Amino acid sequence: MSLEITQVHAVEILDSRARPTLSVTLTAGDGTRIRAGVPSGASTGTREAVELRDGDQARYRGQGVLGAVGHVNGEISRTLTGSSFATAADVDRALIELDGTATKSRLGANAVVGCSLAAWRAEAALAGRELWQHLAQAAGTAPRLPVPHFNVVNGGAHAANSLDFQEFMLAPLGAPSLPEAVRAGAEVYAQLKACLSAEGHTTGLGDEGGFAPGVDRPEDVLRLLVEAITDAGYTPGRDGVAIALDPAASEFRHPDDGLYHVAGDALTSDQLIDRYEAIIDRFPVWSIEDGLAEDDWDGWVRLTARLGDRMQVMGDDIFVTDPAIITEAISKKVGNSALIKVNQIGTVAETLDAMRICREADYTQMVSHRSGETDDAFIADLVVGTGSGQIKSGAPARGERVAKYNRLLEIAGAHASLPFGLPTG
Ligand code: PGA
Ligand code: ZN
């Protein structure tokens, strides 16, 4: 079967932070119309594929994406409608070649990823398959429902509070099913709101729908989380509801002194690793993402050596879903897990490649949204199809976040035989 594209058209829409992004509509040869929304990060890795923003200060404070939209409707449209492609992966290759840069900066990674997402969705539709089934077929993977990781307290670049760690997530590892995991996330989220209020904290939300209280010390947030988990009737820990952290440490390592600034302390890499060790001794934290900065590779080697056999040591900013960087990390024993974001690398084909490399090296993986999102739920199908077993899509609140969890619930409801949870073996 081949993928014939008769039209590709983008428009500028808004993301969940009131910033412009792209909606791409692709029309296939049989008239099937497919839409994709493009996400956007705030605490981005420096080696990520590059979004094209207009820089015109008179529009959206320079954040407009009319240039990227123009590339889709011009060059990309001419390339994709001019020929027939054997597969969506071939569309991705054509996009990479047309762009011609290592970082997709010429056409814009935002333009490229929108077209890639739409092409894969179109291919699935033409094959008469659900997207997750199609991705499983393409990747040669066994589908599985993931453990959702609910980001219920926001700090760092995602909130206006003084909390340095960016994300505190609930991980219902002990839930018997996806629906029960979602229920646990939602119930603890509601309980957490009550716990925060009871201690006099504000319950306003950060960018990913988690609460953004004026608490400085990460340990104080963890205490509140354990309290909320318990009060909601769950067991804190891997048999019930565990906790995952994304400190996003690149954001609080100061360039002037090279130290990590956490709640008034200035820490070396080793002192921060000590702090993490004390945290996991005391709290049921099972995963730490970006525990050190993206350029602190020596620190990462020590972090992995010290804590890697006790927990998941996950790279986000440091790996940026780049097959070459992940390969290098594996050879240097940096981390034991990768966060996966399609727009960090720019195409679905390259993302599947990064995921295959992780699988082959026994690195675990978590599929992720971005802090700026649309209602597009592609990542829900991606995580199920690839069987990677973990997803994070923010809090169990706000439309752009729950769109992903709700898609997972739909898949779970329609396919009761799908396994749930972390991959075994
Ligand atoms: P971002 O953050 O989408 O703002 O880059 C998410 C993350 O760090 O995981
Ligand atoms: Zn991260």
Side-chain angles (χ1 to χ4, degrees):
M1 205 178 77
S2 70
L3 179 53
E4 197 199 324
I5 300 168
T6 54
Q7 200 186 34
V8 191
H9 190 257
V11 294
E12 188 182 60
I13 61 166
L14 293 181
D15 74 12
S16 55
R17 271 195 289 244
R19 288 185 5 160
T21 188
L22 292 87
S23 170
V24 175
T25 301
L26 186 153
T27 310
D30 70 343
T32 302
R33 279 162 69 86
I34 298 292
R35 197 182 70 82
V38 174
S40 173
S43 66
T44 49
T46 55
R47 295 163 87 183
E48 285 192 26
V50 176
E51 289 179 336
L52 194 62
R53 300 261 172 205
D54 298 336
D56 171 3
Q57 295 302 326
R59 291 187 77 248
Y60 290 112
R61 299 164 167 252
Q63 299 293 325
V65 292
L66 294 180
V69 165
H71 287 319
V72 175
N73 297 343
E75 275 187 70
I76 293 178
S77 169
R78 283 195 294 278
T79 301
L80 298 192
T81 57
S83 45
S84 148
F85 295 90
T87 65
D90 289 327
V91 173
D92 286 352
R93 276 186 278 279
L95 290 166
I96 292 166
E97 201 174 302
L98 180 66
D99 172 77
T101 69
T103 55
K104 304 183 176 67
S105 57
R106 192 180 73 79
L107 296 171
N110 43 357
V112 170
V113 80
C115 296
S116 176
L117 296 172
W120 283 82
R121 213 173 242 149
E123 186 177 50
L126 291 175
R129 283 196 283 263
E130 293 279 340
L131 178 56
W132 60 271
Q133 290 169 324
H134 183 64
L135 290 164
Q137 170 109 357
T141 40
R144 162 177 290 276
L145 295 162
V147 178
H149 284 60
F150 301 101
N151 181 10
V152 293
V153 174
N154 296 182
H158 295 166
N161 56 7
S162 52
L163 185 60
D164 300 299
F165 284 16
Q166 180 179 280
E167 302 175 17
F168 295 77
M169 288 168 273
L170 302 170
L173 296 176
S177 67
L178 186 274
E180 287 301 296
V182 170
R183 179 165 83 94
E187 289 178 0
V188 177
Y189 180 75
Q191 185 61 45
L192 178 61
K193 184 172 187 177
C195 292
L196 286 166
S197 297
E199 292 197 14
H201 297 298
T202 56
T203 52
L205 304 183
D207 287 354
E208 297 189 350
F211 303 110
V215 180
D216 295 352
R217 297 182 69 250
E219 292 83 356
D220 292 334
V221 176
L222 289 164
R223 180 187 53 76
L224 277 157
L225 285 181
V226 169
E227 188 182 315
I229 292 167
T230 308
D231 289 357
Y234 294 92
T235 309
R238 294 190 193 206
D239 296 336
V241 179
I243 295 169
L245 296 175
D246 178 7
S250 300
E251 301 285 326
F252 56 81
R253 188 191 206 201
H254 289 191
D256 37 331
D257 60 6
L259 298 174
Y260 293 94
H261 291 248
V262 180
D265 297 324
L267 308 171
T268 63
S269 307
D270 291 300
Q271 287 169 330
L272 184 53
I273 297 169
D274 290 342
R275 182 96 169 237
Y276 290 141
E277 189 162 40
I279 282 176
I280 62 174
D281 284 344
R282 226 177 117 199
F283 299 102
V285 172
W286 92 282
S287 174
I288 298 186
E289 172 191 335
D290 281 355
L292 294 173
E294 60 173 298
D295 53 358
D296 188 3
W297 280 65
D298 294 340
W300 270 89
V301 170
R302 297 195 299 279
L303 170 68
T304 310
R306 277 185 57 190
L307 303 183
D309 57 353
R310 291 180 67 186
M311 67 185 317
Q312 191 165 255
V313 179
M314 183 185 288
D316 170 17
D317 290 358
I318 183 172
F319 296 165
V320 292
T321 315
D322 186 322
I325 299 175
I326 294 173
T327 301
E328 184 186 349
I330 291 165
S331 74
K332 293 182 173 161
K333 295 194 166 38
V334 163
N336 58 26
S337 178
L339 194 74
I340 301 292
K341 294 166 167 169
V342 182
N343 81 326
Q344 271 181 332
I345 188 70
T347 65
V348 175
E350 291 164 290
T351 303
L352 293 178
D353 203 29
M355 297 178 86
R356 177 187 54 76
I357 290 166
C358 289
R359 267 197 314 279
E360 288 173 1
D362 279 332
Y363 269 40
T364 58
Q365 36 188 311
M366 180 190 284
V367 172
S368 172
H369 67 155
R370 299 308 302 250
S371 51
E373 269 292 338
T374 72
D375 59 356
D376 190 304
F378 191 100
I379 60 166
D381 285 78
L382 178 63
V383 72
V384 175
T386 56
S388 62
Q390 302 178 50
I391 188 173
K392 68 169 188 177
S393 176
R398 296 182 37 148
E400 77 281 5
R401 311 297 149 187
V402 299
K404 284 67 163 172
Y405 298 130
N406 287 343
R407 171 68 182 147
L408 291 173
L409 287 168
E410 284 165 15
I411 297 171
H415 301 272
S417 62
L418 278 174
F420 163 74
L422 303 180
T424 44

